[in-house]
Amino acid sequence: MSSSESPSQTTSDAARRERRRSNSLLLVLAVGFLVFGAAAGALYYALRPDVLRIAVGPPGSDDYKVIQAMADAFGSESRTIRLAPIKTEGAVESLALLGAGKADLAVGRGDLEMPAAAQTVAVLRKNFVVLWAPSGLAGKGSKRKSPPKIKEVADLAGRRVGVIGRTPANAALLRVILSAAGVQADKVAVTHFGTEQIQELARDRTLDAFMAVGPLDSKITSEAVVATARARGEPKFLAIETSEAIALKYPRYESEEIPPSVFNADPAWPDDKVETVSVSHLIVARKTLSETTVAAFFRQLFAVRQTIARLAPGAAHIAKPDLEKDTELQVHRGAAAVIDGNERTFLDRYGDYFWFGLLLLSGIGSAGAWLRRYLNRDEREDNTSHRKRILAMVSSARTAESNQELLALQREADAIIAETLECYDDGAIEGEELAAFGLVLDLLSNAIAERRAALQRATLETVRGAVAGHGVTPRG
């Protein structure tokens, strides 16, 4: 590089660096916008509430009212979980939707056929089996009532039982009870009555006993007991003495007791506790539903249970599943973790993702460094050529014939230094490359200084020789 070419070459290099600097800035802005967009999208995804589809039916039933109240409460008080009720014709259809993956949650009775992937989240209510027989009205002119014809479950053989509710599950449960009592189920006739047919049930004289399955505070059961007592005489409640055996054989059922006076205080109906069985209505979820999502739903459910109970009184029966009981349906791991206090922390759940993120960021950083070096490869090549040029200038400096040549070399070196420092400020070259550049620059400086001193000595000797030729002794 000659002194005449240096200004134009320097200007060209400066323009090229300016273009590359602009391109680098645009690249940084593009990467910044990309990272910001990804972070904003991830934040929106993390903070948006999960909407869970819950199948329940039929419309107008107690279950549907409770779930609708639950959805309203979640909508007003929960930022993490929302419920979208799906209307069905009943629990069988609700469970079918869950099994088909068309619902995330479903409300179903515990003794129905459950999908293979279903797991318990919460107990919506417990339904108690209430079996009673009429004692018969007292005859005219007599204040005494005729003795009850049916005193225990075994006496139902050859009888006719009126069952409240048209679901086949009630008839199946009655068959289980009869079988445990040693009664052949086909020896007992069953007639179903809808929940709106209580008066017809009470007036049907062909019925020898009655059966209801529902909560102990069920209005339907209480009305049925009162109606049959008015039409057929005081009720005789039948104890299911084999309830523990039934619960042992069929874990879907539980052995329970009906407390005295629950249906009437005076006279007391029943007058003493009565052994029976219960079956739960459950909120079930797909096994594959996220543990975090189920845990959030479970916590939110019991946090707003009082609010739900104000909207739908039936919500007062919502309870946690018992982890210690051996049931056919396993409790979902998300609900179980909250119940037993073993819920995983944020770091437990996402620690692996953090490590993966760190590795990813490290990879991105390495890729960014490689990209920067790739984009700045011309600057590094220029730096290499500058070092080679300075080494060549060292040789030129050592053979320079005048101070003007040395001054030209110094000016060229100054331009190279300015360009190199700009590249370093732009990040085009690293500190190690700058250190190597400094070594050859020191070499050039030393060569110029030595050559300048040598030229000064030669000039001084020439002057001394000229003076000595004229016989003049120079001063000092």
Side-chain angles (χ1 to χ4, degrees), residues 91-92 94-101 106 112-119 284-287 329:
V92 174
S94 298
L95 294 174
L97 290 178
L98 182 74
L112 293 175
E113 184 178 356
M114 292 286 175
Q119 293 185 334
V284 295
R286 291 184 291 108
K287 180 180 180 180
L329 206 60

Side-chain angles (χ1 to χ4, degrees), residues 297-315:
F297 168 80
F298 188 86
R299 285 195 307 271
Q300 187 63 31
L301 172 60
F302 287 92
V304 301
R305 183 173 54 173
Q306 298 302 323
T307 302
I308 301 171
R310 286 195 296 268
L311 300 174

Side-chain angles (χ1 to χ4, degrees), residues 20 370-384 428-429 433:
R20 287 171 181 161
W370 175 86
L371 180 61
R372 187 181 67 176
R373 291 181 63 85
Y374 177 77
L375 294 176
N376 294 328
R377 63 189 184 280
D378 292 339
E379 281 78 357
R380 293 197 305 276
E381 292 175 358
D382 290 344
N383 182 258
T384 302
I429 60 175
E433 295 172 320

Side-chain angles (χ1 to χ4, degrees), residues 102-411:
K102 297 179 180 179
D104 304 302
L105 303 169
V107 176
R109 188 162 140 168
D111 56 351
L112 293 175
E113 184 178 356
M114 292 286 175
Q119 293 185 334
T120 303
V121 175
V123 177
L124 195 61
R125 70 171 188 271
K126 275 189 177 182
N127 289 340
F128 291 73
V129 175
V130 182
L131 272 171
W132 74 98
S135 59
L137 294 173
K140 293 183 179 180
S142 175
K143 296 182 178 180
R144 298 184 60 186
K145 299 178 181 178
S146 59
K149 299 177 182 179
I150 300 174
K151 296 181 179 180
E152 58 184 17
V153 174
D155 295 336
L156 292 175
R159 305 286 185 169
R160 190 178 191 86
V161 178
V163 178
I164 301 174
R166 298 189 179 280
T167 172
N170 285 349
L173 177 53
L174 178 59
R175 288 194 294 271
V176 170
I177 295 170
L178 293 172
S179 177
V183 178
Q184 294 183 14
D186 57 359
K187 298 295 184 181
V188 178
V190 175
T191 303
H192 289 275
F193 291 83
T195 55
E196 74 285 354
Q197 296 178 302
I198 300 301
Q199 297 305 319
E200 296 179 21
L201 172 82
R203 290 193 298 265
D204 192 339
R205 296 286 176 171
T206 65
L207 299 177
D208 301 298
F210 312 97
M211 175 180 170
V213 183
L216 290 179
D217 60 353
S218 168
K219 183 179 179 181
I220 294 173
T221 303
S222 298
E223 289 179 352
V225 172
V226 171
T228 56
R230 187 182 302 115
R232 306 282 301 279
E234 185 174 341
K236 167 61 180 178
F237 292 92
L238 307 180
I240 304 175
E241 298 177 355
T242 56
S243 62
E244 292 185 359
I246 292 174
L248 185 62
K249 187 175 182 180
Y250 304 98
R252 68 190 68 174
Y253 303 119
E254 297 182 53
S255 176
E256 302 283 355
E257 290 183 345
I258 301 175
S261 304
V262 70
F263 300 117
N264 196 62
D266 188 19
W269 294 344
D271 57 0
D272 197 2
K273 61 184 180 181
V274 178
E275 191 173 352
T276 187
V277 295
S278 70
V279 59
S280 297
H281 268 229
L282 306 171
I283 298 177
V284 295
R286 291 184 291 108
K287 180 180 180 180
T288 55
L289 192 60
S290 166
E291 176 183 346
T292 305
T293 301
V294 173
F297 168 80
F298 188 86
R299 285 195 307 271
Q300 187 63 31
L301 172 60
F302 287 92
V304 301
R305 183 173 54 173
Q306 298 302 323
T307 302
I308 301 171
R310 286 195 296 268
L311 300 174
H317 299 293
I318 296 175
K320 300 176 182 179
D322 192 343
L323 299 180
E324 297 182 357
K325 287 187 177 180
D326 185 17
T327 59
E328 291 184 354
L329 206 60
Q330 185 179 359
V331 178
H332 195 284
R333 62 190 184 280
V338 179
I339 294 172
D340 60 19
N342 291 330
E343 187 178 4
R344 294 189 298 169
T345 64
F346 181 83
L347 289 178
D348 291 335
R349 292 195 303 268
Y350 301 108
D352 293 341
Y353 293 102
F354 278 119
W355 286 112
F356 176 76
L358 290 176
L359 291 176
L360 182 62
L361 289 176
S362 176
I364 292 175
S366 299
W370 175 86
L371 180 61
R372 187 181 67 176
R373 291 181 63 85
Y374 177 77
L375 294 176
N376 294 328
R377 63 189 184 280
D378 292 339
E379 281 78 357
R380 293 197 305 276
E381 292 175 358
D382 290 344
N383 182 258
T384 302
S385 64
H386 288 161
R387 290 202 305 269
K388 292 179 179 179
R389 172 57 186 159
I390 290 176
L391 288 175
M393 291 167 61
V394 170
S395 299
S396 299
R398 288 173 178 169
T399 58
E401 298 297 333
S402 65
N403 285 326
Q404 285 74 16
E405 293 183 22
L406 294 176
L407 182 59
L409 292 173
Q410 186 65 60
R411 289 174 179 173

